[in-house]
Amino acid sequence: MKTLSVIIPTYNTSKEYFSKCLASLVCEQAGEIEIVVIDDGSMEQYSSEIKQEIEKSPLDIYYCKKKNGGQNSAREYGLVKATAQYVFFMDADDYVDTVALDAVISLLKDNYPDILAFNYDVRTPDGEILEKYDRWKEKYDKVDVHKGLLYSDSLGLQIYKKDVLCKSRIHLIQGVRIGEDMASATAILAAVGTEHATNECLYHYVKHPGSTLSNPPKESALDMVRAFDAMLEQLDTSIQEKYHMELEWLAILHVLYYNINRILKSFDGNKKF
């Protein structure tokens, strides 16, 4: 069994970004990795280019095209196809630090954590660093889950042991454009209840001016509320009580602060109010 399944949904992803994503995964321990690419109903031009890039790659890659259902729909589909011990959800237009990936694979093989968190940065499409998040300071250390929940921004910022993820009975939240990533990652961590972290800066998140978060459609204005409600519906009352303070703070931060600012900025709201 391989160590790591990297699940990558694609939807009309440009060849340039996808090529960079794949190239970053070609590390010294590439033999421990399988790539699961789920094409979520892309236009044929984009699907053809993705398949061409896959054919050129030295990596072990499984490709499948499905009817469009959204990013988390593609991720769950990929989770069924994944065969490695751990799963790592990547976006097709992001990339990783190849040296850090080798270090992370070694940590997984040596320590067997249920969930492994890591540091990341935010970059322009040209690679310029916009923001850097060095949240974890030790090479490998156990995380207080109360603290870890406050950093559950995205599924792509943790690597999950597959059997632990499946046993958590948390389904990735679907049907919304904004908030599904944060809400899914938070629900999984709260349900699993254990996490380790490394100071390796593994993930490079690419910020695009035309992204949904930058230019949200009006019908998505309350998606964050819907995502948060869907998260709470999956958590037992005992878990909600255990992490009440953290969940309340995440609601304040994501629902009241980030989402209201997004609405005021994007939909011509009363900014002074």
Side-chain angles (χ1 to χ4, degrees):
M1 178 185 289
K2 294 193 175 187
T3 301
L4 186 62
S5 293
V6 183
I7 299 173
I8 308 176
T10 68
Y11 176 71
N12 293 346
T13 305
S14 76
K15 178 174 66 174
E16 176 188 359
Y17 291 135
F18 183 69
S19 174
K20 188 172 185 177
C21 175
L22 281 188
S24 72
L25 295 166
V26 184
C27 62
E28 290 184 6
Q29 298 190 75
E32 295 286 343
I33 301 173
E34 68 169 7
I35 316 296
V36 181
V37 177
I38 305 299
D39 187 334
D40 192 40
S42 300
M43 295 170 59
E44 192 52 44
Q45 170 196 343
Y46 292 97
S47 297
S48 177
E49 291 179 348
I50 291 297
K51 286 186 281 188
Q52 289 173 15
E53 292 303 312
I54 289 173
E55 289 173 1
K56 294 189 294 185
S57 174
L59 296 164
D60 178 11
I61 304 177
Y62 170 85
Y63 169 88
C64 179
K65 186 169 183 176
K66 63 180 279 295
K67 183 179 179 181
N68 181 259
Q71 189 173 46
N72 273 356
S73 168
R75 285 168 171 162
E76 286 218 325
Y77 195 93
L79 187 59
V80 174
K81 302 296 182 182
T83 63
Q85 188 175 11
Y86 286 90
V87 294
F88 175 28
F89 299 105
M90 278 191 72
D91 288 352
D93 50 1
D94 297 336
Y95 58 103
V96 298
D97 182 285
T98 307
V99 175
L101 179 60
D102 266 315
V104 165
I105 291 173
S106 294
L107 287 174
L108 296 175
K109 291 162 62 178
D110 293 342
N111 299 283
Y112 306 104
D114 289 341
I115 300 175
L116 181 66
F118 40 80
N119 294 323
Y120 75 104
D121 57 36
V122 180
R123 302 192 175 211
T124 67
D126 294 329
E128 178 186 351
I129 296 177
L130 298 174
E131 303 163 30
K132 193 169 177 61
Y133 293 89
D134 292 326
R135 293 168 168 173
W136 313 111
K137 305 301 182 184
E138 303 297 328
K139 182 178 180 181
Y140 182 80
D141 199 12
K142 189 171 184 179
V143 171
D144 179 348
V145 173
H146 291 274
K147 176 182 177 182
L149 286 170
L150 302 181
Y151 296 153
S152 298
D153 305 75
S154 168
L155 287 165
L157 301 183
Q158 295 82 215
I159 291 174
Y160 302 94
K161 187 179 285 186
K162 184 185 176 185
D163 64 347
V164 170
L165 177 56
C166 294
K167 288 176 184 176
S168 75
R169 295 185 294 179
I170 298 296
H171 294 284
L172 304 187
I173 292 163
Q174 301 177 34
V176 294
R177 301 190 190 191
I178 297 174
E180 77 278 275
D181 226 5
M182 178 279 301
S184 297
T186 300
I188 293 168
L189 178 54
V192 173
T194 177
E195 182 178 35
H196 288 75
T198 175
N199 59 5
E200 296 287 347
C201 185
L202 177 64
Y203 204 79
H204 302 312
Y205 170 77
V206 179
K207 187 173 184 179
H208 299 280
S211 68
T212 300
L213 283 177
S214 300
N215 300 281
K218 288 191 176 182
E219 59 268 22
S220 72
L222 296 180
D223 274 6
M224 183 60 74
V225 180
R226 299 183 184 104
F228 217 92
D229 285 344
M231 175 188 72
L232 294 177
E233 287 172 6
Q234 295 198 66
L235 295 177
D236 294 340
T237 301
S238 60
I239 295 176
Q240 291 192 40
E241 291 175 350
K242 182 177 182 179
Y243 299 117
H244 175 83
M245 295 289 286
E246 290 75 27
L247 294 173
E248 183 176 62
W249 167 243
L250 289 172
I252 292 168
L253 182 65
H254 290 279
V255 177
L256 294 182
Y257 180 69
Y258 287 147
N259 203 54
I260 286 176
N261 274 302
R262 189 180 298 115
I263 290 170
L264 291 174
K265 178 181 177 182
S266 303
F267 307 142
D268 299 320
N270 185 326
K271 295 179 177 60
K272 182 178 179 181
F273 176 75

